[in-house]
Amino acid sequence: MSTTVIKNGTVVTADLTYEADVLIENGTITEIGKGLKGDKELDATGCYVMPGGIDPHTHLEMPFMGTYSSDDFESGTRAALAGGTTMVVDFALPNPGEGLFDALKRWDNKSTRANCDYSFHMAVTWWGEQVFNDMEKVVRERGINTFKHFLAYKGALMVNDDELYASFSRLAELGATPMVHAENGDVVAELSAKLLAEGNTGPEAHAYSRPPQVEGEATNRAIMIADMVGAPLYVVHVSCEESHEAVRRARMQGKRVWGEPLIQHLTLDESEYFNKDWDHAARRVMSPPFRNKMHQDSLWNGLQSGSLSVVATDHCAFTTEQKRYGVGDFTKIPNGTGGLEDRIPMLWTHGVGTGRLTPNEFVAVTSTNIAKILNCYPKKGAILVGADADILVLDPEKEKTITAASQQSAIDYNVFEGQHVKGLPRYVLTRGQVAVMDGEMRNEEGHGKFVAREPNAPVNRALSQWKDLTAPRPIERTGIPASGV
Ligand code: DUC
Ligand code: ZN
Ligand code: ZN
Ligand code: ZN
């Protein structure tokens, strides 16, 4: 078996920075130290050697709003690798009435062409006995321990509160983690209809239809329901102070709640929707929408203080042609933006490059925290002996301007077009295989493998002052009055 050594770099993990070589054998890290030798040497002089990025939130080839998102597992994972991300976690979506394993079969088929490792979250898009029953096997046999619920997309993906309560209860029992897309779908539907009736048909109306309050309300609601059943909770795409505040407060109360901002919300703002060019604005339509600077500051503060835990992309790429389904009616613009290739360079540039994040904090929010929350640490998210050799060698001096013309993604534009980034991969390794070398792609289609994840370790499920009521029992009373009827 041939060995590879990454030489002369500075290893950066979520908690340590030190100079060392990293030896790789058979896809895993076998030694970390000074003066190591291998059959193949990769020079990392002047570079940081860190765990490859993990993107916990992607939608590849996703059937959505009358079409499919245009990056599939091949182009999506190629884009990921190009930007230093070595694992993606995608959402398997059952159709209404469809069993969870039938949905997983479709996602298994789509993912055979993946260039890097991947895992799935299961979406709970409807509720019934079959979902209840399938959940156990999904957790225990398929190694999927995270289940997403959409509180938005009324009439399509949305689940109601009774379904949410039932699903969260079941997941608490199984040691799985519920996730929520937290926007109040009923209110969004009302606001959308009102805006359209008043003649607001353009992409800017999308932002007006989903104000921060709909996100704050749904986040609080999901946190309270999770707390009542003793489940942890992962809140995807926290985009504003209202939902961040809910997550922050829950964490201060000792609740196991995690918040995930997106690189788009951290770096792009709502002024994009007021661009005179319809295509420009529509290409940036996603849910939740981009927000103002006050919300962006809140998200950065959350990453700095630890009240927000991870940075994702919600990569869901639609071409300009697909976006134009919504000409004359903003509610028909397919929701979604790309970001897989740009998350790491954008966060390094705007986070580490500005002093908002240390390199160690950067590793935590792009990789290690995610691996821990999703239960695949230290196989993923670590530079440790025995960990998978999913490694990003980042050159802090290397720079570029982001353009659609040079991207891996299959779509015809990039929402970060023209942004100057500094801090780019020199090498990206997926289980020891060099997939990116000095900007050149060497990825291998089909190399990616499914990563199974364990259920959560047992923890104290009595998460709040409610704990006395988690085991209700009738009280033996004397002197019960006669019924009034
Ligand atoms: N938001 C998007 O913008 N696209 C996919 C799904 C979602 O929640
Ligand atoms: Zn979502
Ligand atoms: Zn999403
Ligand atoms: Zn420069």
Side-chain angles (χ1 to χ4, degrees):
M1 184 57 58
S2 97
T3 55
T4 302
V5 64
I6 301 172
K7 285 201 73 80
N8 309 319
T10 302
V11 174
V12 179
T13 68
D15 39 33
L16 294 173
T17 305
Y18 59 100
E19 274 158 39
D21 302 337
V22 177
L23 185 69
I24 300 158
E25 208 170 337
N26 208 10
T28 54
I29 297 171
T30 52
E31 207 177 332
I32 302 169
K34 290 271 170 72
L36 301 183
K37 300 218 178 320
D39 303 321
K40 186 158 78 183
E41 294 196 347
L42 299 173
D43 179 37
T45 304
C47 292
Y48 296 120
V49 180
M50 45 179 73
I54 302 172
D55 193 331
H57 188 160
T58 70
H59 300 284
L60 301 174
E61 206 183 334
M62 176 209 200
F64 189 50
M65 296 185 75
T67 184
Y68 280 83
S69 59
S70 282
D71 274 316
D72 59 14
F73 274 82
E74 196 288 310
S75 64
T77 55
R78 178 156 40 81
L81 285 168
T85 289
T86 53
M87 175 173 165
V88 302
V89 193
D90 206 79
F91 294 86
L93 263 78
N95 296 319
E98 186 185 37
L100 303 187
F101 283 91
D102 289 326
L104 281 170
K105 206 178 292 166
R106 285 187 286 119
W107 256 259
D108 283 336
N109 290 337
K110 289 184 219 235
S111 57
T112 55
R113 296 172 63 210
N115 292 285
C116 68
D117 288 358
Y118 58 92
S119 191
F120 300 142
H121 308 288
M122 191 78 235
V124 178
T125 54
W126 66 284
W127 186 250
E129 208 179 317
Q130 179 163 20
V131 177
F132 179 94
N133 290 333
D134 282 356
M135 276 179 162
E136 182 161 18
K137 271 193 174 172
V138 169
V139 174
R140 304 216 199 289
E141 292 171 25
R142 265 311 296 260
I144 295 174
N145 70 346
T146 38
F147 291 71
K148 162 125 165 249
H149 306 72
F150 290 88
L151 306 189
Y153 301 116
K154 189 176 182 178
L157 301 169
M158 182 171 124
V159 288
N160 296 321
D161 289 352
D162 51 350
E163 299 167 320
L164 200 68
Y165 177 79
S167 181
F168 280 18
S169 305
R170 176 64 166 154
L171 295 171
E173 202 173 87
L174 296 172
T177 299
M179 307 172 92
V180 274
H181 168 135
E183 289 181 301
N184 183 316
D186 286 317
V187 176
V188 170
E190 291 299 310
L191 291 175
S192 300
K194 184 166 182 282
L195 284 156
L196 282 175
E198 291 166 354
N200 290 297
T201 59
E204 67 286 354
H206 173 79
Y208 289 116
S209 74
R210 315 179 93 99
Q213 291 91 331
V214 303
E215 193 180 326
E217 184 281 325
T219 306
N220 275 295
R221 177 160 38 107
I223 288 171
M224 295 301 164
I225 292 176
D227 190 34
M228 279 187 260
V229 305
L233 184 70
Y234 183 112
V235 184
V236 304
H237 49 48
V238 171
S239 77
C240 60
E241 165 58 14
E242 282 77 353
S243 54
H244 175 202
E245 193 264 346
V247 169
R248 200 165 61 224
R249 177 161 23 86
R251 290 172 66 84
M252 282 168 56
Q253 292 168 338
K255 296 172 188 166
R256 289 171 189 273
V257 174
W258 300 283
E260 170 208 81
L262 306 181
I263 190 62
Q264 295 92 320
H265 291 116
L266 286 161
T267 60
L268 301 171
D269 68 49
E270 65 188 5
S271 65
E272 303 281 356
Y273 299 119
F274 301 101
N275 193 292
K276 291 263 189 297
D277 178 28
W278 190 95
D279 284 340
H280 180 103
R283 287 163 170 169
R284 283 139 181 98
V285 164
M286 66 170 301
S287 295
F290 301 161
R291 308 291 191 190
N292 67 28
K293 298 272 183 237
M294 184 273 281
H295 295 294
Q296 289 187 320
D297 282 345
S298 168
L299 302 183
W300 283 108
N301 291 344
L303 290 177
Q304 290 183 186
S305 66
S307 53
L308 297 174
S309 306
V310 310
V311 176
T313 64
D314 196 2
H315 187 97
C316 187
F318 295 102
T319 62
T320 304
E321 200 190 324
Q322 290 175 306
K323 290 285 185 178
R324 288 180 183 168
Y325 298 166
V327 173
D329 180 351
F330 73 89
T331 65
K332 300 205 161 54
I333 302 171
N335 285 199
T337 59
L340 261 173
E341 187 168 345
D342 312 304
R343 180 182 64 134
I344 298 268
M346 283 293 287
L347 192 72
W348 185 273
T349 303
H350 294 276
V352 182
T354 57
R356 281 162 166 155
L357 299 177
T358 66
N360 308 96
E361 287 165 347
F362 173 88
V363 171
V365 300
T366 55
S367 185
T368 306
N369 288 355
I370 302 167
K372 288 181 180 174
I373 295 166
L374 301 185
N375 292 348
C376 56
Y377 182 87
K379 174 182 169 65
K380 300 296 186 189
I383 302 287
L384 285 175
V385 169
D388 282 359
D390 280 7
I391 299 175
L392 163 61
V393 178
L394 183 134
D395 181 345
E397 295 305 321
K398 199 170 161 161
E399 46 192 297
K400 72 169 186 185
T401 299
I402 296 174
T403 64
S406 59
Q407 73 186 1
Q408 301 296 323
S409 166
I411 62 169
D412 57 316
Y413 62 92
N414 185 310
V415 295
F416 302 109
E417 182 82 27
Q419 294 254 6
H420 187 80
V421 285
K422 187 173 178 190
L424 290 168
R426 181 180 292 178
Y427 311 111
V428 180
L429 286 80
T430 157
R431 269 181 291 104
Q433 182 202 72
V434 182
V436 181
M437 182 173 270
D438 277 323
E440 187 193 309
M441 296 306 297
R442 299 189 172 189
N443 54 292
E444 180 205 335
E445 191 177 313
H447 168 82
K449 286 197 179 129
F450 179 79
V451 179
R453 300 177 286 114
E454 296 286 309
N456 299 328
V459 289
N460 177 7
R461 285 175 48 194
L463 299 178
S464 75
Q465 292 88 335
W466 272 75
K467 57 178 166 265
D468 291 344
L469 292 183
T470 58
R473 60 193 185 285
I475 294 172
E476 278 180 39
R477 289 201 164 87
T478 54
I480 299 173
S483 163
V485 229

